[in-house]
Amino acid sequence: MAKPSKFAHIVYRTRRFEEMIRWYEAVFEARLQYQNPALAFLTYDDEHHRFAFGNLEVLDPAGKPSGGKADAGVDHVAYTYASLRDLADTYTRLKKLGIKPYWPIRHGPTVSLYYRDPDGNRIEFQVDSFATADEANAYMRGDAFSSNPIGVNFDPDELVEQIKKGVPEQELLARPEGPPAPIPREHGLGA
Ligand SMILES: [Fe+2]
């Protein structure tokens, strides 16, 4: 079975957006890769992000304590696979076990499949879309990412077929043009 090549990042939801960013900058001597009012990405090494923060005041303004679902805590953890083939093989293996992703998305820096464990904890299985850290960093600081920092959804069964047909991974890793995908309800934000 294909195994993850590394643990990549953790994303937190917070109602102390700026304070959390400053804390992780100080504690990990992390640098800010990208920030908008809803999202911030930080890293401390050559990974494109090691932490991200989702601002609940923007993403889920009606949330706790006034009655919504989302509250501060872990949004998801992410594991990287070495290749798109490894990710697709994992998708196929899990599908046979009746485990399906709730959100297949080409984020831009990564191609990702989000799963939920039995407790509802979210896990992202991803493949880096860029061969080098410099390319990924440049992408995250560029216009394509700021115009759509979420990504564009895809069909994983179609991806499996494209890989079988021999479509080059390079082609399949690239994010197509498109507006930001809506965050699915299974991701646990919003009322
Ligand atoms: Fe992630």
Side-chain angles (χ1 to χ4, degrees), residues 8-11 41 48-49 51-52 75-79 107 110 112 114 123-126 187:
H9 64 256
I10 184 161
V11 176
F41 296 85
H48 43 78
H49 66 291
F51 304 105
D75 182 276
H76 68 269
V77 296
Y79 296 87
H107 276 309
T110 65
S112 299
Y114 287 83
I123 303 175
E124 177 184 16
F125 290 154
Q126 66 178 25
H187 206 66

Side-chain angles (χ1 to χ4, degrees), residues 1-4 81 84-95 99 113 115 125:
M1 115 185 196
K3 294 187 170 53
Y81 282 82
L84 207 48
R85 178 172 288 277
D86 281 359
L87 185 72
D89 286 351
T90 301
Y91 167 77
T92 302
R93 179 175 65 83
L94 295 181
K95 193 181 169 188
I99 299 166
L113 298 171
Y115 290 84
F125 290 154

Side-chain angles (χ1 to χ4, degrees), residues 43-60:
T43 190
Y44 50 70
D45 62 7
D46 60 5
E47 182 70 13
H48 43 78
H49 66 291
R50 288 293 186 183
F51 304 105
F53 300 94
N55 185 356
L56 287 173
E57 296 299 327
V58 174
L59 297 169
D60 192 24

Side-chain angles (χ1 to χ4, degrees), residues 7 34 41 54 81 85 95 101 109 116 134 145 156 172-173:
F7 178 80
Y34 173 80
F41 296 85
Y81 282 82
R85 178 172 288 277
K95 193 181 169 188
R116 296 203 324 169
D134 284 350
F145 195 66
L172 299 174
L173 287 167

Side-chain angles (χ1 to χ4, degrees), residues 8-78:
H9 64 256
I10 184 161
V11 176
Y12 292 107
R13 301 169 169 189
T14 180
R15 294 191 187 276
R16 297 181 182 86
F17 190 56
E18 290 295 336
E19 194 182 337
M20 285 286 276
I21 294 165
R22 299 290 96 77
W23 197 90
Y24 279 80
E25 280 178 332
V27 170
F28 287 87
E29 297 190 327
R31 64 181 188 276
L32 196 60
Q33 291 279 78
Y34 173 80
Q35 183 178 354
N36 70 22
L39 295 166
F41 296 85
L42 281 78
T43 190
Y44 50 70
D45 62 7
D46 60 5
E47 182 70 13
H48 43 78
H49 66 291
R50 288 293 186 183
F51 304 105
F53 300 94
N55 185 356
L56 287 173
E57 296 299 327
V58 174
L59 297 169
D60 192 24
K64 285 181 180 177
S66 52
K69 288 179 186 167
D71 202 354
V74 175
D75 182 276
H76 68 269
V77 296

